[in-house]
Amino acid sequence: MSGGNGRGAWVVLGIDPGTAVTGYGVVGRTADAPFSLLECGVVRTSARKPLPVRIREIFHTVQDVIERFDPDVVSVEDVFQGKNVRSALTLGHARGAILLAAALRDVEIAEYSPREIKKAVVGTGSATKDQVAFMVQKQLRLRTAPAPSDAADGVAAALCHCLSGQVLR
């Protein structure tokens, strides 16, 4: 089974959304090779800029990554249901920009809760950011963990989908 990108490989773009920092990671796999990290990074926006400008920056960066890697799936961390409703609403704007960027390219979208991602990558849904980064490093055989932690969380979102059994079944 090959990926839908026509290259005989699966590519998953994982995203940890945020309006200040959005982390992303691109993980690839072919039928005869283990998962590998193709790229990871962050989108940093300035708190001094209006929210619509920050959302546009996130949208354009995600759109660029989708264009460069042609992923089969965009795996996005779902909104954390915390006590701060305003933070959840603001995060929802960032997620909306990410989902729109994927939808405009007709890329499949998979959504996972923070606990699901941690459980898939670390083995426990209550893992710390350091534990997630360490396991991402180990599972992808990297010399160092992706940094900053938001990038590692984006890679973890991609790995969660890869480990869900939906890639190269």
Side-chain angles (χ1 to χ4, degrees), residues 1-154:
M1 177 180 198
S2 65
N5 57 27
R7 296 184 302 258
W10 274 92
V11 176
V12 179
L13 168 59
I15 302 180
D16 175 34
T19 52
V21 182
T22 291
Y24 71 91
V26 184
V27 174
R29 182 174 188 194
T30 58
D32 57 349
F35 298 113
S36 63
L37 180 63
L38 304 177
E39 180 178 300
C40 68
V42 295
V43 182
R44 290 188 191 279
T45 64
S46 171
R48 295 181 182 154
K49 292 182 181 177
L51 182 61
V53 172
R54 297 166 76 185
I55 298 305
R56 182 182 64 208
E57 289 174 11
I58 293 165
F59 172 79
H60 284 303
T61 302
V62 171
Q63 195 175 43
D64 175 63
V65 174
I66 290 172
E67 202 167 294
R68 287 188 292 117
F69 289 96
D70 190 23
D72 298 284
V73 179
V74 174
S75 177
V76 184
E77 184 175 298
D78 207 351
V79 175
F80 174 72
Q81 300 291 330
K83 295 179 183 178
N84 189 334
V85 174
R86 182 167 173 78
S87 293
L89 286 172
T90 304
L91 180 60
H93 293 302
R95 281 181 36 80
I98 293 160
L99 298 178
L100 178 61
L104 287 174
R105 290 290 305 261
D106 292 320
V107 179
E108 179 185 338
I109 297 165
E111 299 176 80
Y112 298 96
S113 72
R115 289 189 68 79
E116 288 175 305
I117 293 170
K118 291 173 182 178
K119 184 159 179 51
V121 174
V122 180
T124 176
S126 58
T128 66
K129 282 190 169 285
D130 287 341
Q131 290 171 322
V132 170
F134 176 79
M135 289 306 294
V136 163
Q137 176 186 353
K138 291 301 174 199
Q139 290 187 32
L140 294 174
R141 298 158 320 283
L142 304 172
R143 288 182 184 208
T144 60
S149 63
D150 299 285
D153 290 346

